[in-house]
Amino acid sequence: MEFSIKSGDLAGRASPCLILGVFEKRQLPPPTQLIDTASQGHLSRILGKGDLDGEAGRTLLLHEVPALAAERVLLVSLGPQEKYDRKTYGKALAAALAHLNQTGAPEALCALPASAPPELDRYLAVRDAITTALDKAYRYERTKSEKKPPSPLQRLQLWIPDPAETSRAKQALRHGQALAHGVALAKELGNLPGNICTPTYLADQAEALAKDFPALKVTVLEEADMAKLGMGALLSVSRGSRQPAKLILMHHRGGKKGAKPLVLVGKGLTFDAGGISLKPGPDMDQMKYDMGGGASVLGTMRAALELQLPINLIGIIPASENLPDGDANKPGDIVTSLSGQTIEILNTDAEGRLILCDALTYCERFEPAAVIDIATLTGAIVVALGHVASGLFTADEGLASEILAAGDRAYDRAWRMPLWEDYQSLLDSNFADMANIGGRDGGAVTAACFLSRYTKKYPWAHLDIAGTAWVSGKEKGGTGRPVPLLVQWLLQRGGEL
Ligand code: BES
Ligand code: MN
Ligand code: ZN
């Protein structure tokens, strides 16, 4: 889909369809009021018949509105004005686009960004419109025999009232598109089945990204390389699988030479059966999205490359399967991590931290300005926070406030969890330096505590996205989260905002 920014005479601008918002009780936001006045009350007369009452997202298509250059007007209800917020705005946008796609109009002029809720500045109003439109256009088709026809809507023009805001709006357009492309990539990878999306496939995706964006440098460490380095924790997980593990390294050198890089480390567990500590059968299929952290790193790299962000950014994805096998980890096994610390594996299903800890130690060589790891790490974070917020763990106050703020601004929120010393003793082991589990209670916290033992040499934060990277139920599939949060953080760090 193509996007553009327009301003100026709204009534006089020709278009196959003009999209306008309407509040409950027929209150009109400024652009709608403008058109109502221009058409001598045509809109209020129709609304007076009660055709658009009710909740946000209802739509009404009008033809031949007097004194308008647009061929049609699509009215979309925004719900009660006092409850109008970012979520309702997104809902209204999505509903309008869904209706438009039924009309067959190839192009539309949308005035909703000029009727956005007060909490959104013009930049976010435009960016949300772009990301919502592209988000709704995403369809998973890769393994379906029947491909759906492309949606008729080809071009979306966004109208803003003040031409002085055009350059800001164009920046939002650029950012929104890159963000949406990153989200779509992360979704697609999460949706792909484990027999297609293997560690090798993830490595190929990184190479493919480097083809599209030559500024990206990709290196893939093979099992032999990792063995030479001493990544005993990571390799113990992949030993139970016939798919070779990969450590995918992606470098974007967009910043000053010598400037310390930001590093994103994503869990790339392409299928998690639990290993010998086998998971129960129901919903095990969903464990194909256990590479959601890795997918978000690829998606975020893609967005950063498309925007040519002026930062040095490194993406790292430790990728492996976790399966039961004669050669798999057994409860009680002890492995030596790259850091030299030994780990007693009391539950082979706590494998994410095993592959992450070696990748996190590997990060030290880059002398990072900051490292964020992103992982579908625990069921416990889903119990704690549900599917709304990702769990944020960090001892670094500055990083905490940056990440929380980025999540709020991108509407991809995180919630801070404790990482206090008091939890560390739960990882005590009689036979090794630490156990890989800390018991049922506070499971998301002890998982983060485990990782904290490998991240002492740089500022670090951990995002547990087990509840946010995926939706279950009828709409089952990847969400692309937390790409919006991460891209927002990078934009802020790169001084782009
Ligand atoms: N990949 C899972 C975590 C997970 C659970 C992700 C539900 C998404 C939805 C992880 O590898 C795992 O199995 N964690 C265990 C840890 C436990 C054995 C300490 C868990 O959460 O049950
Ligand atoms: Mn597991
Ligand atoms: Zn897992």
Side-chain angles (χ1 to χ4, degrees):
M1 205 180 319
E2 271 176 52
F3 299 93
S4 55
I5 306 295
K6 303 286 173 206
S7 55
D9 180 14
L10 189 59
R13 183 170 283 284
S15 172
C17 187
L18 170 63
I19 305 171
L20 296 169
V22 178
F23 290 116
E24 199 185 72
K25 302 204 188 99
R26 295 146 217 168
Q27 287 175 314
L28 307 182
T32 314
Q33 185 62 62
L34 199 111
I35 296 300
D36 191 43
T37 310
S39 65
Q40 280 162 4
H42 188 79
L43 301 186
S44 0
R45 273 197 301 280
I46 289 176
L47 291 168
K49 297 183 177 136
D51 284 13
L52 201 64
D53 288 341
E55 60 177 42
R58 298 189 53 173
T59 50
L60 181 64
L61 188 67
L62 309 178
H63 290 268
E64 294 173 28
V65 176
L68 275 203
E71 292 164 37
R72 314 171 180 82
V73 169
L74 181 63
L75 295 176
V76 50
S77 116
L78 306 174
Q81 187 157 15
E82 61 288 356
K83 281 204 204 144
Y84 187 46
D85 61 8
R86 194 171 187 176
K87 204 171 169 180
T88 326
Y89 174 58
K91 200 171 159 188
L93 277 163
L97 295 176
H99 190 137
L100 258 177
N101 273 325
Q102 290 166 15
T103 67
E107 185 178 286
L109 174 61
C110 178
L112 293 183
S115 319
E119 75 223 50
L120 298 186
D121 52 42
R122 197 72 69 208
Y123 168 85
L124 279 187
V126 170
R127 199 177 87 176
D128 271 17
I130 308 277
T131 51
T132 305
L134 290 174
D135 226 38
K136 295 296 156 193
Y138 171 82
R139 293 195 193 97
Y140 176 80
E141 315 204 289
R142 174 72 185 271
T143 44
K144 295 251 198 192
S145 320
E146 239 171 78
K147 316 284 179 208
K148 292 186 192 124
S151 32
L153 186 66
Q154 296 294 311
R155 287 175 305 277
L156 188 63
Q157 305 178 327
L158 300 174
W159 186 82
I160 55 168
D162 184 358
E165 288 179 319
T166 301
S167 72
R168 187 92 172 112
K170 285 193 170 158
Q171 184 192 38
L173 190 160
R174 222 167 61 82
H175 290 178
Q177 278 180 302
L179 183 49
H181 295 153
V183 166
L185 174 58
K187 274 190 187 178
E188 181 75 4
L189 292 170
N191 289 337
L192 284 173
N195 61 331
I196 293 178
C197 186
T198 59
T200 304
Y201 185 88
L202 286 180
D204 292 346
Q205 287 301 298
E207 309 273 11
L209 201 56
K211 264 223 172 99
D212 290 345
F213 300 96
L216 184 71
K217 298 288 168 258
V218 173
T219 317
V220 178
L221 299 192
E222 305 295 334
E223 287 187 345
D225 304 316
M226 294 188 257
K228 242 184 240 152
L229 287 162
M231 295 189 162
L234 193 161
L235 289 171
S236 78
V237 175
S238 67
R239 225 181 38 239
S241 151
R242 307 204 182 162
Q243 293 291 337
K246 306 277 173 180
L247 187 69
I248 305 163
L249 306 166
M250 294 171 277
H251 288 259
H252 163 61
R253 292 193 181 85
K256 291 205 185 75
K257 227 181 157 184
K260 289 184 164 186
L262 302 173
V263 183
L264 302 175
V265 181
K267 174 178 174 184
L269 215 294
T270 58
F271 188 76
D272 182 11
I276 298 301
S277 314
L278 190 64
K279 284 185 184 294
D283 289 338
M284 205 208 266
D285 63 291
Q286 298 192 21
M287 279 302 116
K288 68 178 181 179
Y289 89 92
D290 209 15
M291 32 54 71
S296 75
V297 171
L298 275 161
T300 303
M301 294 298 298
R302 195 195 188 288
L305 287 159
E306 192 173 324
L307 293 172
Q308 296 178 289
L309 290 186
I311 49 171
N312 292 330
L313 175 64
I314 301 177
I316 303 185
I317 305 174
S320 173
E321 291 183 328
N322 185 30
L323 297 174
D325 180 82
D327 208 19
N329 277 326
K330 303 175 291 297
D333 282 2
I334 294 175
V335 298
T336 304
S337 65
L338 175 60
S339 71
Q341 301 176 94
T342 58
I343 306 162
E344 184 184 14
I345 300 172
L346 291 176
N347 189 319
T348 68
D349 197 10
E351 85 298 335
R353 58 199 82 179
L354 296 175
I355 67 170
L356 284 167
C357 71
D358 281 347
L360 288 167
T361 302
Y362 189 81
C363 281
E364 290 173 4
R365 68 182 57 211
F366 302 120
E367 294 178 32
V371 177
I372 302 181
D373 81 72
I374 308 102
T376 47
L377 202 63
T378 66
I381 199 68
V382 190
V383 175
L385 300 178
H387 303 278
V388 177
S390 303
L392 169 66
F393 299 83
T394 179
D396 190 303
E397 297 301 323
L399 211 44
S401 45
E402 281 177 31
I403 294 171
L404 292 173
D408 283 346
R409 190 145 170 88
Y411 206 63
D412 177 12
R413 290 166 296 179
W415 189 257
R416 191 163 179 197
M417 301 282 290
L419 194 62
W420 295 318
E421 201 49 41
D422 312 55
Y423 291 96
Q424 289 283 356
S425 60
L426 292 166
L427 294 170
D428 287 352
S429 157
N430 287 357
F431 306 108
D433 298 342
M434 70 196 76
N436 78 326
I437 55 168
R440 204 178 61 100
D441 298 345
V445 185
T446 48
C449 284
F450 180 95
L451 297 179
S452 75
R453 296 175 179 216
Y454 298 83
T455 56
K456 301 221 184 289
K457 303 236 166 95
Y458 44 73
W460 162 76
H462 157 61
L463 286 169
D464 194 334
I465 59 164
T468 50
W470 182 263
V471 282
S472 317
K474 206 166 156 269
E475 304 275 288
K476 175 154 103 171
T479 60
R481 290 180 70 183
V483 171
L485 177 155
L486 294 170
V487 172
Q488 185 70 39
W489 181 64
L490 294 180
L491 284 170
Q492 286 166 201
R493 276 277 181 151
E496 289 272 307
L497 287 174

